[in-house]
Amino acid sequence: MADPEPPDSPGEPLTRRALREREAASRAGPLEHSTPRPRAHARRRRAARIGAVFAVAGVAALVFGTTAAVTAAVTAPPLADASSRDAQGDALDVSVWGSFDEPLPPVTDALPSPVVAPEVSGDDICASEELVTALEARDTAAAIAAAGGVERFRSAVAAGTATCVSLDDPTFEWVVVNKARQLDPVDFRPAELVAPEGVRNIPGTAMRPAVSAALSSMVADAADAGVGEIALLSGFRSYGTQVDTYASHVNARGADGADEISARPGHSEHQAGLAADVVACDAGGCGGLDDLAGTPQGDWVAAHAWEYGFIVRYEEGFTDVTGYAPEPWHLRYVGTDIARHYTEGGWHTLESFFGLPAAPDYAG
């Protein structure tokens, strides 16, 4: 009997067994050509996520009504969950839809509060009956005490609330006389004038009693302190005397030059009986006014005159306020209370002390 043909020979029909084996092998082995899964669903997921983000932003804007809410919703980083990956398991590129940052509007600082210049204020010291009584008696020390002290008195006068106190009345020791403030009356003369005791009085002039007594005490104490002798070169000068004094300076210096060192009639503190021009003396005699500065007497006066009720009226560096060149010899009596407060407070002019305008020039 002849051998049978091989089962897989070409052109020959397969047996049933061979067909079953081939089909089984086909089901068990991998496919040689697999078709990729479509990615349309991944694009749909991405679009859905973007839409959801803007929906949240819209809700935030409606609820909170602020730009910050919208910005927070848009710029928040995407959640790292399974939906952030595509069908193949690769991370999605969210850079194109996760970077909607827009700069917030600049922060506006609070508007500054308006700067309001402080108003000058003072107490109504004139409500004190004791003060009014002291003023009527021309008792300056009692008036200051009734006002509650020098500073309360000064501040009320400077503020204009002390209407009962006059800086124009020459009978008061605090009267202010300068180029803008003429004596009233213009030919005023103190009711009483007294020559200082124990003082070399070169011209033989007098001053108000309180001023003369204060000068006598100062001169005596200076001598006891060993600084040398202090003499009086000029005290009270009447209106008529001031006419002649000012005219002599005009003849020597001209009107402008005279106004720097001499007061016009009716504008002099000497006429009020409250000023004393002092000089230094030694064994050889007494020097002039310009010789006082730098002497032991001049230094002592500058340091101690306030203790006796005097201030140096025309200091260096304040010509633009007083209108006069420096005069370290010109002592102005204001009383011990005011002189102490003036000196300890660092004041340099009566104009500033009482809140008055500067008076560098005459009005006409």
Side-chain angles (χ1 to χ4, degrees):
M1 180 172 176
D3 294 332
E5 291 289 332
D8 292 335
S9 298
E12 296 294 332
L14 297 176
T15 64
R16 293 180 179 178
R17 180 179 180 181
L19 289 175
R20 285 195 302 271
E21 291 178 354
R22 179 173 294 182
E23 289 175 359
S26 176
R27 286 193 300 270
L31 294 176
E32 293 181 0
H33 305 288
S34 59
T35 304
R37 298 174 64 184
R39 305 183 66 173
H41 63 286
R43 290 193 296 271
R44 286 196 297 271
R45 289 183 180 178
R46 181 183 300 177
R49 282 195 297 272
I50 295 175
V53 169
F54 281 101
V56 172
V59 172
L62 292 175
V63 173
F64 298 103
T66 64
T67 304
V70 176
T71 305
V74 173
T75 61
L79 297 176
D81 57 11
S83 63
S84 299
R85 298 181 177 276
D86 61 13
Q88 305 303 318
D90 298 324
L92 293 173
D93 181 9
V94 297
S95 62
V96 295
W97 60 271
S99 59
F100 289 92
D101 300 79
E102 293 183 2
L104 293 173
V107 177
T108 303
D109 295 334
L111 294 177
S113 301
V115 178
V116 180
E119 296 182 359
V120 177
S121 60
D123 297 328
D124 182 13
I125 59 176
C126 295
S128 169
E129 293 184 2
E130 294 181 359
L131 173 62
V132 174
T133 300
L135 293 174
E136 292 174 350
R138 296 301 189 268
D139 189 340
T140 56
I144 290 174
V150 181
E151 178 53 29
R152 190 163 182 254
F153 172 83
R154 185 207 67 81
S155 62
V157 172
T161 58
T163 56
C164 59
V165 177
S166 173
L167 298 178
D168 299 317
D169 189 339
T171 62
F172 288 102
E173 295 167 355
W174 54 61
V175 63
V176 180
V177 184
N178 57 31
K179 293 181 178 181
R181 300 173 65 85
Q182 181 178 277
L183 286 167
D184 184 19
V186 69
D187 59 349
F188 171 80
R189 182 185 182 94
E192 185 178 5
L193 295 168
V194 178
E197 295 182 2
V199 178
R200 187 185 301 200
N201 190 346
I202 298 174
T205 57
M207 293 169 292
R208 296 192 195 187
V211 184
S212 289
L215 184 63
S216 296
S217 296
M218 187 184 75
V219 170
D221 289 347
D224 291 342
V227 299
E229 183 184 3
I230 298 173
L232 175 65
L233 183 61
S234 181
F236 168 75
R237 294 199 294 261
S238 68
Y239 179 86
T241 299
Q242 194 64 29
V243 170
D244 295 337
T245 301
Y246 179 75
S248 66
H249 286 296
V250 171
N251 291 334
R253 304 167 180 268
D256 291 341
D259 286 340
E260 291 180 359
I261 62 173
S262 180
R264 294 180 184 179
H267 294 267
S268 174
E269 292 185 329
H270 286 281
Q271 186 182 330
L274 296 169
D277 290 345
V278 298
V279 294
C281 304
D282 56 25
C286 298
L289 295 174
D290 293 329
D291 300 324
L292 178 68
T295 65
Q297 294 93 321
D299 293 341
W300 195 90
V301 165
H304 297 281
W306 65 269
E307 298 172 11
Y308 304 89
F310 293 102
I311 62 171
V312 177
R313 179 67 169 98
Y314 307 123
E315 296 185 39
E316 184 176 1
F318 296 91
T319 300
D320 58 340
V321 177
T322 65
Y324 295 103
E327 295 186 2
W329 60 83
H330 183 101
L331 304 182
R332 162 62 196 275
Y333 187 80
V334 292
T336 54
D337 292 331
I338 291 179
R340 174 184 290 275
H341 194 70
Y342 181 96
T343 303
E344 293 179 347
W347 302 93
H348 298 282
T349 68
L350 281 181
E351 286 78 11
S352 60
F353 184 78
F354 283 122
L356 297 173
D361 300 301
Y362 292 99

